[in-house]
Amino acid sequence: MPKPYIAPTHPGEVLKTLYLDEIKMSAGKLAKELGVPRSRIERIVECTHSLSPNTAIRLAKFFDTTAQFWMNLQTNYDVHIAEQDVDVSGIRTFKAA
């Protein structure tokens, strides 16, 4: 039986739920720790802003993870959103001989 499809989670939701809520830290406090504008982290946590490589590197250092972890979350989310919007019905599938 195939597993049901679960849409990727925005990295901001992961940041809020699995990290900030767990250590009871505000987005503003995290921004200060990372040396970035408060609004950047607030928008990421609100899932209205994408995570940049710059921010991924900073989050990786602070939370002892990897930048790839954060960027993979963002990429998976972005591809999922694009798949909802991009019409590929007119593109043929190339078949090698």
Side-chain angles (χ1 to χ4, degrees), residues 5-11 13 72-73 75-81:
Y5 177 75
I6 299 173
T9 304
H10 188 282
E13 188 174 336
N72 285 341
L73 288 171
T75 299
N76 290 336
Y77 181 79
D78 289 345
V79 169
H80 170 73
I81 296 301

Side-chain angles (χ1 to χ4, degrees), residues 7 11 16 20 22 25 34 43 51-52 61-62 64 70 77 92 96:
K16 180 181 182 328
L20 295 179
E22 288 295 316
M25 180 180 280
L34 300 182
R43 287 186 298 218
L51 194 81
S52 69
K61 173 64 176 172
F62 186 79
D64 194 27
W70 295 101
Y77 181 79
R92 70 178 179 94

Side-chain angles (χ1 to χ4, degrees), residues 35-46:
V36 299
R38 177 181 49 88
S39 59
R40 180 189 305 184
I41 302 302
E42 288 174 345
R43 287 186 298 218
I44 291 169
V45 168
E46 292 166 356

